[in-house]
Amino acid sequence: MAKVNIALDAELVVEVMVLAGINNPQDAVEAVVRDYIARGHRTEARTAGRDEPVRTGEIVPTEPQQG
């Protein structure tokens, strides 16, 4: 896997380390990035089903309200 070196504010990294309970700065930053990516995938999965009829032009009948 390719590696990327970046400079980050030390206070940000320390805060992530404390919040995540991780002792290694690189592992803490990787955890944040992985969480961000996973959250994006979950959001895509939730909205894909909702947007599918609009994207395909299919009309899906709505369910009648119960109550």
Side-chain angles (χ1 to χ4, degrees):
M1 179 187 305
K3 300 287 182 180
V4 176
N5 292 321
I6 58 173
L8 295 172
D9 184 281
E11 290 181 20
L12 292 174
V13 177
V14 169
E15 189 164 348
V16 169
M17 290 171 61
V18 169
L19 290 172
I22 299 173
N23 296 328
N24 180 317
Q26 181 170 338
D27 290 346
V29 173
E30 284 183 12
V32 170
V33 172
R34 289 181 192 281
D35 180 64
Y36 182 81
I37 291 169
R39 187 174 302 191
H41 287 242
R42 288 191 303 268
T43 300
E44 287 175 2
R46 286 188 4 212
T47 60
R50 203 177 321 146
D51 294 340
E52 189 68 17
V54 174
R55 188 181 64 78
T56 61
E58 295 178 20
I59 298 177
V60 178
T62 59
E63 294 182 21
Q65 286 186 338
Q66 296 183 14

